[in-house]
Amino acid sequence: MNGKQFCNFFALYFKECKKVLLSLTFLLYTAAIFAMYYTQFESEMRGAETEPKPGLPSYGIVVREVPEVLMPRALDTLVQEYQMNSYVAYPIGFYKEVHLTEKKRKKMAEIIGELTGLSCEEGSRKVGDNDFVVDGNGNFCVEGSDFVNYSLSEKITYEYFRELMRKADDLIGGGSRYSDNYIVHNFSQVPKTYEEAVAEYQQFIEEDKITGAYARLYCDYIGIILSILPVFVAVSLMQLDRRARMEALIYSRKISSAKIVFARYAALISGMFLPVIVTTVAAQKMVMGLYPGEKMDLFAFARYAIVWMLPAIMAVAAVGMLLTELAGGLPAIFIQEAWWFTDMFSEPLTGGIGKFNLTIRHNSLYKLDVFQKEYSDFLFNRIFFVVLAFLLVALTAMIYEEKRRGRNIGIRALVKNHKSQSAV
């Protein structure tokens, strides 16, 4: 690219920036980010975190994989759900009450038989309309059920227990309390000790340097809407080009399709990142006000915003551009919404970062060790979506070029060809 071409590209880029920044969709996008910031992030900042004091009745709870705690709790819940034949699951992030068929119920009884040492015949007996009662531990059970007086078999190892729980999860249809994603969080929450609370606070002050913790929490909240809102801005800009056919005709005589699409994409990304920059500055200022005189990482918010937030904007905007060219604006929005809904609830609020999950959650000021343990997956995830975004934009440029040459590509072309063939 020579100097003249470079200048032409930037002239086009600034023109596209103007279209983005002055669009109603972008203004609504910006308003949504500010609303999320003030109502969710800043509203939680009621004061500075203080060092735990000894002698308090509670220091909160911590999720820790403790087999002797997890196994009996998970078994209790599984038996209760078996007795009621009603299992709670979140297969795509939404609550679902699952009722097993008699065939699957018998298989579940066999799993419980393995766990408790009871025979399959005893375990598979129907409960009927017996009344629910509360046992000595405060757990619900069914009066007269074969599984009222049960206990975990001493022969069951933890590894085999987890294997049986995976089988139970498969019978339920996935996403149950017993899946690998949820079982530890659901059944292995234990009281936090004073020493653990102090160590966590020291980590917050010394390793995270305060702002690192707040930056992750900021990204957790803002990342929720950045996994969906950029598609609206991208679709709006792409459809604006369709309405301005004369302008597209002028572009066709002056600049290549790749430069048009990448200039537009760069304008979208830089424009949509502006509200993120503004809110990170506001967040940094607020945190510094809460901890005057404390040593802080002054670049934590900027670093997390770039590494965490920017790839999300890039990926969603690229999806919006490509799908708009292929199928139109509404399908692009519906597909992104479906991805968002599925992805949003597929992980716990803290921990469990998936390599291919667009929305990353870390809804805590603490648990730095959990984030550090998954840091390699976090980096892989963000790099993956950056690379994916550029590939999608390149594909968009190819489709755009074919359309400028008069070739029909996408859903509309398929529908048109189908109608032509039907008419024949």
Side-chain angles (χ1 to χ4, degrees), residues 67-209:
E68 57 268 27
V69 173
L70 185 152
M71 293 167 70
R73 287 181 180 177
L75 175 61
D76 285 346
T77 303
L78 181 61
V79 170
Q80 291 164 27
E81 291 192 326
Y82 168 80
Q83 290 169 336
M84 295 182 289
N85 193 24
S86 178
Y87 302 84
V88 174
Y90 298 85
I92 57 172
F94 294 98
Y95 174 88
K96 182 180 180 181
E97 188 174 335
V98 179
H99 303 283
L100 298 184
T101 63
E102 285 301 317
K103 183 178 180 181
K104 288 187 176 181
R105 182 174 168 79
K106 184 175 180 180
K107 290 182 178 179
M108 187 66 78
E110 292 174 356
I111 291 174
I112 296 176
E114 285 284 326
L115 291 168
T116 61
L118 297 176
S119 67
C120 295
E121 289 76 15
E122 290 176 316
S124 62
R125 190 169 71 85
K126 291 184 179 179
V127 175
D129 297 324
N130 294 306
D131 295 329
F132 290 104
V133 297
V134 180
D135 65 17
N137 297 320
N139 296 320
F140 284 101
C141 61
V142 181
E143 191 174 19
S145 167
D146 289 332
F147 287 128
V148 169
N149 297 314
Y150 63 87
S151 61
L152 188 68
S153 172
E154 295 180 356
K155 298 178 181 179
I156 299 295
T157 65
Y158 181 62
E159 291 74 17
Y160 187 47
F161 176 87
R162 290 295 298 270
E163 180 183 337
L164 291 173
M165 284 294 158
R166 293 186 192 100
K167 291 181 179 179
D169 179 63
D170 289 339
L171 285 175
I172 297 167
S176 73
R177 309 174 198 257
Y178 318 105
S179 66
D180 286 339
N181 287 339
Y182 296 114
I183 191 169
V184 175
H185 181 80
N186 283 329
F187 302 114
S188 194
Q189 296 183 1
V190 296
K192 190 186 299 181
T193 66
Y194 166 70
E195 290 75 18
E196 288 174 330
V198 170
E200 195 173 56
Y201 178 79
Q202 292 298 325
Q203 193 177 51
F204 167 76
I205 295 294
E206 297 173 5
E207 292 187 48
D208 246 340
K209 294 185 171 50

Side-chain angles (χ1 to χ4, degrees), residues 221-232:
Y221 284 124
I222 303 301
I224 293 173
I225 58 175
L226 288 183
S227 297
I228 178 66
L229 291 185
V231 73
F232 292 94

Side-chain angles (χ1 to χ4, degrees), residues 357-419:
N357 286 88
L358 179 61
T359 305
I360 292 177
R361 303 303 309 273
H362 191 91
N363 193 253
S364 174
L365 283 176
Y366 297 101
K367 302 181 181 179
L368 173 61
D369 55 330
V370 174
F371 184 77
Q372 288 175 333
K373 183 180 179 181
E374 301 174 337
Y375 191 67
S376 59
D377 287 339
F378 169 78
L379 287 181
F380 178 91
N381 178 294
R382 296 295 90 174
I383 293 171
F384 169 79
F385 280 109
V386 170
V387 174
L388 177 65
F390 280 116
L391 291 175
L392 295 181
V393 175
L395 183 57
T396 304
M398 293 170 60
I399 295 171
Y400 193 81
E401 175 63 25
E402 292 301 308
K403 287 187 174 183
R404 290 170 73 193
R405 292 180 179 181
R407 299 174 184 172
N408 289 326
I409 297 178
I411 300 299
R412 289 185 178 87
L414 292 175
V415 172
K416 185 176 180 181
N417 290 338
H418 177 73
K419 287 182 177 179

Side-chain angles (χ1 to χ4, degrees), residues 252-265:
S252 69
R253 297 173 181 172
K254 291 185 176 181
I255 195 167
S256 69
S257 295
K259 291 178 182 177
I260 293 173
V261 171
F262 276 96
R264 183 166 298 157
Y265 181 66

Side-chain angles (χ1 to χ4, degrees), residues 29-45 213-230 272-284 286 301 304-306 308-313 316 340 344 358-364 382:
Y29 162 88
T30 302
I33 288 180
F34 280 112
M36 190 71 169
Y37 170 77
Y38 285 111
T39 60
Q40 299 299 314
F41 177 75
E42 190 167 295
S43 64
E44 280 202 2
M45 305 301 110
Y214 282 96
R216 283 194 303 277
L217 186 61
Y218 164 89
C219 289
D220 173 81
Y221 284 124
I222 303 301
I224 293 173
I225 58 175
L226 288 183
S227 297
I228 178 66
L229 291 185
M272 288 191 285
F273 197 55
L274 280 176
V276 177
I277 295 173
V278 173
T279 50
T280 54
V281 172
Q284 177 98 16
M286 181 197 65
F301 275 96
Y304 275 106
I306 293 172
W308 192 324
M309 299 286 92
L310 190 57
I313 296 175
V316 179
W340 180 78
M344 176 67 190
L358 179 61
T359 305
I360 292 177
R361 303 303 309 273
H362 191 91
N363 193 253
S364 174
R382 296 295 90 174

